[in-house]
Amino acid sequence: MSENGFITNVERELIPISALSQYVYCPRRCALIFIEQIWNENLFTAEGRIIHERVHEENRESRGDVRIEYGVSLRSLRLGLIGKADVIEFHRQLDSTWLPFPVEYKRGKPKPDSCDAVQLCAQALCLEEMLGVEVTCGALYYGKTHRRHEVVFDEKLRRETEETARRVHELIASGETPRPVYKAKCDNCSLFQLCLPKTIGKKGSVKRYLSAMVRENEKTS
Amino acid sequence: MKRHLNTLFVTTQGAYLSKDGETVAVKVEKEVKLRIPVHTIGGIVCFGNVSCSPFLMGFCAENGVGISFLSEYGRFLARVQGPVSGNVLLRREQYRRADDPKASAEITRALLTGKLANCRTVLQRALRDHSDKIDTEAISRASKRLSNTLTRIKSEANLDVLRGMEGDMAHIYFSVFNHLITAQKEAFVFEERNRRPPLDNVNCLLSFLYTMVMHDVRSALETVGLDPAVGFLHRDRPGRSGLALDMMEELRPFIADRLTLSLINLKQVQKKGFKKADTGAVTMSDETRKEVLVSYQNRKQEEIMHPFIEEKITIGLLFHIQAMLFARYLRGDMDGYPPFIWK
């Protein structure tokens, strides 16, 4: 651990930025993907491709004071993060400098938790470290609602993002996957059948299952 | 979760498979006969002189699609393996338990409970559905003996004793297997299990279907990041897939044995589809092999209720779900491995 509380500064220990939003949504889901490495229908590559097609469809005009770059590689040694941004817009300032403005494209609709905002803020923190500028805001674009939501990187969101990064590092270093706790949102999780929150949540259920099988066999023989 | 994915069986001699964008292209005599999106297939099995481009192999490995090469007769030749994926912590746990006799015995008990219960169900179903056509007394006796073994397994902690029990119960089960054949009884006679080579039509069918199940089980284990080579019931032997053999035990009776019986009993395969070489080895004609493959694919589309996760799934997903449950157990999510038990 370094003095600012992050286990980082080593390139091989960088974790993907996407792990942060997974963690905010559900720590077990984050562990299933990044510790257990469960294979999931190319969750990332397929999504990435679709989004890039989308992005180009958006056909946002590149006016004189906005420059757009796609698929930008990002990194923060301070937070131990690595990843790619779908879209970075560079907005020309009055003093002719270009200020980065990250835009994340999501297929679905806005979510009740802060997972998308945290992911966007993590991109901003990477950009700040890499370019030595201050990134004040970005945007989330939702495919389902076709709406762009501006996100301001205030102190509260920055703290939440840094805290999440620290916790994800701890989780992955521990090598332990948290046990499931079934909640209503589990029903819409694409990993439901790999996580089995209802089945695994019941402790001792396999022993019961096997005993019941043997008992049943004794009855029918 | 993986949707139910089909296996692509390529039996056309001289076919060439390559990657074409996100799809697998099958060429015969330089003409593309088929294009399938890779995300819709779970595995590729090539029979005989069928080749694949290295880029397709890499692409399939990356997408968790297993590729196996078999001889024209379905004898296993080779498998394509991509860079080892998955969770190294899981594989280390697998090796640790395999080195520990007590932990191995616990896993073996679960595997054998699954196998025994499913063998017994094959017999019980025959008693229920065909009592007019079969020797009910012999089958009831065998079923009773299997049932006694099932009760004994529960309290047996010695791995060698458990392995011995497995041999005994396989013997009991196969001793009445011939009674389960209710049609074409002259052409399909089963005396005992033989494999290298299969010496009669029934063993030829069983061996072929076990090879198919093996491909699916191995692919599923590799997909969840387990090492197919290191087993619990089956001791390590170089070149043998111990864990794949372990995981097959509970699925053999439910998938392969039942399918063998229904192919014969419903006359979907016939005497003329088999040929015996001078050495005694029996092989299937191309047409019969295709018939068996199609039936296997159809069986995999059938829906069942999974007794442990209590969800409706296709039989084709069963391999994947059992492999995943095994991995979840090793990683401490559950208090045991729940075998698939068919009632």
Side-chain angles (χ1 to χ4, degrees):
Chain A
M1 293 285 261
S2 62
E3 57 203 74
N4 63 2
F6 290 105
I7 322 162
T8 72
N9 297 334
V10 192
E11 285 198 5
R12 67 167 182 273
E13 286 190 358
L14 300 176
I15 52 171
I17 292 174
S18 60
L20 270 54
S21 62
Q22 302 286 358
Y23 185 91
V24 173
Y25 172 75
C26 166
R28 177 168 163 92
R29 182 180 161 100
C30 179
L32 287 173
I33 296 170
F34 295 96
I35 298 176
E36 305 297 340
Q37 302 270 318
I38 53 170
W39 186 80
N40 183 21
E41 288 272 285
N42 268 11
L43 191 71
F44 308 107
T45 49
E47 238 172 49
R49 252 199 329 278
I50 291 160
I51 280 159
H52 281 294
E53 285 158 17
R54 273 279 160 79
V55 169
H56 293 289
E57 275 169 32
E58 286 312 309
N59 204 1
R60 289 183 53 75
E61 223 176 301
S62 189
R63 296 186 308 276
D65 50 4
V66 178
R67 212 178 67 225
I68 300 179
E69 288 191 26
Y70 300 101
V72 182
S73 295
L74 299 171
R75 187 189 68 179
S76 162
L77 293 177
R78 183 174 71 90
L79 302 178
L81 298 175
I82 189 147
K84 257 200 165 100
D86 287 337
V87 176
I88 309 277
E89 292 179 357
F90 288 86
H91 297 184
R92 195 202 293 269
Q93 305 300 296
L94 293 171
D95 60 0
S96 296
T97 54
W98 295 91
L99 186 65
F101 181 97
V103 183
E104 226 352 68
Y105 285 71
K106 295 287 174 194
R107 272 191 304 179
K109 46 181 195 269
K111 302 174 189 72
D113 59 34
S114 58
C115 64
D116 293 342
V118 163
Q119 186 175 352
L120 193 69
C121 182
Q123 293 181 2
L125 295 173
C126 290
L127 286 165
E128 289 186 345
E129 187 181 318
M130 290 165 83
L131 303 173
V133 294
E134 193 185 351
V135 182
T136 50
C137 47
L140 292 165
Y141 179 90
Y142 290 97
K144 269 229 168 86
T145 55
H146 299 290
R147 283 242 166 80
R148 216 171 131 122
H149 301 256
E150 185 129 320
V151 176
V152 178
F153 305 125
D154 59 13
E155 206 43 48
K156 184 169 162 285
L157 180 58
R158 286 165 183 262
R159 267 207 310 276
E160 185 184 359
T161 305
E162 293 185 358
E163 179 61 14
T164 305
R166 200 178 55 76
R167 287 185 179 191
V168 175
H169 274 288
E170 270 175 13
L171 174 74
I172 291 175
S174 80
E176 284 184 26
T177 295
R179 291 180 61 83
V181 181
Y182 176 74
K183 295 192 178 103
K185 68 177 175 190
C186 295
D187 295 342
N188 298 324
C189 173
S190 64
L191 299 188
F192 185 91
Q193 280 186 298
L194 292 161
C195 167
L196 298 173
K198 282 181 165 168
T199 322
I200 287 174
K202 294 180 283 196
K203 245 199 156 18
S205 58
V206 177
K207 288 215 164 49
R208 270 206 306 277
Y209 166 79
L210 284 172
S211 304
M213 289 296 163
V214 176
R215 263 202 313 280
E216 204 165 303
N217 157 70
E218 285 163 354
K219 267 198 299 236
T220 57
S221 63
Chain B
M1 186 66 197
K2 294 176 81 159
R3 293 181 307 276
H4 170 62
L5 299 166
N6 274 319
T7 304
L8 171 64
F9 293 109
V10 187
T11 55
T12 309
Q13 295 307 289
Y16 178 72
L17 281 60
S18 57
K19 175 179 181 297
D20 183 356
E22 298 288 308
T23 67
V24 178
V26 182
K27 281 190 198 139
V28 180
E29 287 165 7
K30 303 216 164 125
E31 191 187 329
V32 178
K33 293 275 181 203
L34 190 68
R35 261 199 199 87
I36 313 167
V38 79
H39 300 292
T40 61
I41 45 179
I44 300 177
V45 181
C46 303
F47 288 87
N49 184 23
V50 173
S51 49
C52 281
S53 81
F55 306 106
L56 177 68
M57 293 180 189
F59 184 57
C60 285
E62 198 185 324
N63 284 285
V65 176
I67 304 180
S68 286
F69 292 95
L70 311 182
S71 77
E72 250 183 295
Y73 304 118
R75 192 172 47 82
F76 177 80
L77 297 170
R79 246 186 94 74
V80 176
Q81 190 161 2
V84 172
S85 64
N87 175 4
V88 60
L89 303 172
L90 168 66
R91 272 198 297 277
R92 285 180 63 141
E93 186 58 34
Q94 181 188 347
Y95 303 150
R96 263 198 296 273
R97 304 246 189 143
D99 283 340
D100 174 352
K102 200 161 153 273
S104 293
E106 186 182 342
I107 293 168
T108 299
R109 271 200 303 276
L111 296 169
L112 291 185
T113 301
K115 174 175 179 162
L116 255 178
N118 294 342
C119 283
R120 220 182 135 253
T121 304
V122 171
L123 302 185
Q124 294 294 101
R125 290 251 169 162
L127 288 171
R128 200 185 65 189
D129 302 340
H130 305 292
S131 58
D132 53 330
K133 293 186 244 173
I134 53 175
D135 181 345
T136 49
E137 203 172 311
I139 295 175
S140 300
R141 257 202 321 272
S143 177
K144 182 89 188 96
R145 287 175 70 193
L146 292 183
S147 167
N148 294 342
T149 315
L150 196 51
T151 309
R152 278 192 7 244
I153 278 177
K154 220 167 64 168
S155 50
E156 183 54 64
N158 182 308
L159 195 52
D160 288 327
V161 175
L162 286 167
R163 284 172 177 151
M165 284 179 170
E166 194 269 331
D168 295 345
M169 78 195 197
H171 182 76
I172 295 166
Y173 170 72
F174 279 125
S175 71
V176 294
F177 199 73
N178 195 45
H179 293 307
L180 307 177
I181 297 171
T182 57
Q184 312 186 77
K185 284 178 89 71
E186 300 74 43
F188 294 92
V189 179
F190 181 89
E191 279 171 4
E192 58 166 12
R193 180 80 187 107
N194 48 52
R195 298 173 302 152
R196 294 178 183 169
L199 299 170
D200 58 67
N201 300 351
V202 184
N203 272 298
C204 175
L205 281 169
L206 285 172
S207 284
F208 184 76
L209 284 167
Y210 289 162
T211 306
M212 296 301 111
V213 173
M214 187 70 175
H215 165 89
D216 287 334
V217 168
R218 275 194 66 138
S219 296
L221 291 171
E222 282 169 5
T223 303
V224 303
L226 286 158
D227 183 343
V230 177
F232 301 88
L233 163 62
H234 291 86
R235 279 196 191 84
D236 290 354
R237 264 210 234 139
R240 189 165 79 166
S241 303
L243 184 60
L245 289 164
D246 283 2
M247 300 286 298
M248 270 179 80
E249 293 296 353
E250 73 206 51
L251 302 175
R252 272 181 217 261
F254 172 67
I255 297 177
D257 300 358
R258 279 171 70 225
L259 188 54
T260 298
L261 291 168
S262 66
L263 284 166
I264 298 168
N265 293 343
L266 301 174
K267 300 182 184 154
Q268 285 169 283
V269 296
Q270 279 139 20
K271 183 181 178 176
K272 64 177 193 302
F274 295 83
K275 105 175 155 272
K276 204 175 180 77
D278 295 344
T279 56
V282 173
T283 52
M284 280 182 261
S285 70
D286 290 354
E287 207 180 321
T288 297
R289 195 172 310 112
K290 269 194 189 143
E291 179 63 43
V292 176
L293 286 175
V294 169
S295 306
Y296 180 61
Q297 281 297 82
N298 291 343
R299 181 56 52 96
K300 281 166 55 175
Q301 311 278 4
E302 283 172 24
E303 281 205 328
I304 46 165
M305 189 65 170
H306 192 287
F308 182 73
I309 68 172
E310 293 171 339
E311 287 201 36
K312 251 200 164 132
I313 56 155
T314 57
I315 290 176
L317 265 186
L318 198 50
F319 308 102
H320 202 82
I321 287 179
Q322 292 310 124
M324 180 206 53
L325 289 170
F326 199 83
R328 309 281 5 110
Y329 158 60
L330 290 181
R331 291 284 294 142
D333 261 355
M334 294 185 287
D335 59 320
Y337 165 67
F340 169 76
I341 292 177
W342 171 61
K343 285 181 269 203

